[in-house]
Amino acid sequence: MRRLAFFLAALAVLLSSGCASRPAEGNLPPPRESLYVPDPPLEERANEPRKGESEELPVEPLPLELPEGAEEFVRAADYIPGLLVELRYATENNFTGQVIYGFSDAYLRWGTVEKLACVQSLLAEEGLGLKIWDAFRPPSAQFRLWEICPDSRYVADPTKGFSSHSRGNTVDLTLVDGEGNELEMPTGFDDFSAKADRDYSDVSPQAAENALRLEAAMTAGGFQPYSGEWWHFSDKDRYDVEEDFQPPEDETGGDSHG
C-alpha cells in the first residue's frame, strides 16, 4: 500500500492548493441487494472512515467558461480533458443485454462536471484518468430498465422513485492508465456479488488499492461514495430529478426503445 499512501499524501497537497492552475431476466445472477434503489439521503449512504480513505478537502472552481448556473446540463467531455466515456447503457454490454438509451455522450450538471474536472486533473498527476460508464440517466431510461427487468431487487420501480442518476449529479466510473486501459478493480460494472461493495477484504490487494485510490480522489473532490457499489459516486451538491432534459440521440443510434 506504499503507492496508495504516497498518492493520498500528494492528493492532499494538490487539493489544499486548489486546481486553479489546471484548466434477459433468467440470466441474472443471484441478488445481493438492489443496484437501482431510489436515491436515499446522503447520510444513509455515508461510509465509516477506513484506513487509507482521505478526508474531504476544499476544491476551488476551475477557470473554465461558466455556463449560466450549476444546474445546467453540459457534455462532460467538453470540460474534462482526457476523460474517457463508454456509456454501457448505450450498448448491449450491460446486465440487461439490451440498449437502454440512444446517446453515447455523458451529460451531467455543470457543478458536478466542475468537480469531476478537478478530480481528473489530480489523477493525471499520477498518470491516471477516469472512464465514465453511466452519467445522467433520463427518467425514460429508468422506465425502460423497469420494462426489461421489473424486479425491484435489480431496478428501482420508477413509479416509486428514480435512481440518483436522474438528478444529473451521479456517475458510475473507473480508473484508467495513461493508455486508456482500465485498472484492475474488485469487479466489473454492475456486478451483483458481494465483491462489488466497499469492503475490499475479499478482493486482490491490487484491486483494493486501485478502488481505494479512486474513492480517495472522488471523496476529496466532493463526491459521496455509495457503499454497495465501488463505481458509484454522487455529488454532495444535490439537484432535483430532471424530467425535461434529454441528451441528443446519436445520429446512427435511433430510438433507444427500438
Side-chain angles (χ1 to χ4, degrees), residues 110-203:
W110 160 245
T112 301
V113 167
E114 188 177 24
K115 292 180 179 180
L116 203 60
C118 190
V119 174
Q120 172 83 341
S121 68
L122 295 172
L123 287 170
E125 298 288 341
E126 296 294 310
L128 302 174
L130 299 169
K131 176 189 278 190
I132 292 180
W133 285 327
D134 194 23
F136 173 63
R137 187 188 307 158
S140 60
Q142 195 70 26
F143 277 98
R144 175 62 171 161
L145 280 169
W146 184 252
E147 175 187 333
I148 296 171
C149 183
D151 188 332
S152 59
R153 295 173 301 174
Y154 301 97
V155 178
D157 182 350
T159 65
K160 298 180 180 179
F162 292 107
S163 164
S164 58
H165 283 279
S166 295
R167 300 180 184 276
N169 71 338
T170 297
V171 286
D172 295 335
L173 41 65
T174 191
L175 282 177
V176 295
D177 63 21
E179 302 299 321
N181 302 306
E182 295 179 11
L183 271 59
E184 180 184 355
M185 287 296 188
T187 68
F189 177 53
D190 269 2
D191 186 286
F192 289 78
S193 72
K195 290 185 177 181
D197 64 25
R198 295 185 184 276
D199 173 12
Y200 305 129
S201 63
D202 52 355
V203 301

Side-chain angles (χ1 to χ4, degrees), residues 15 21 46 61 99-101 125 148 164 166 174 194 205 230 237 239 241:
L15 280 175
S21 62
V99 174
I100 302 302
Y101 44 62
E125 298 288 341
I148 296 171
S164 58
S166 295
T174 191
W230 64 261
D237 288 329
Y239 302 93
V241 169

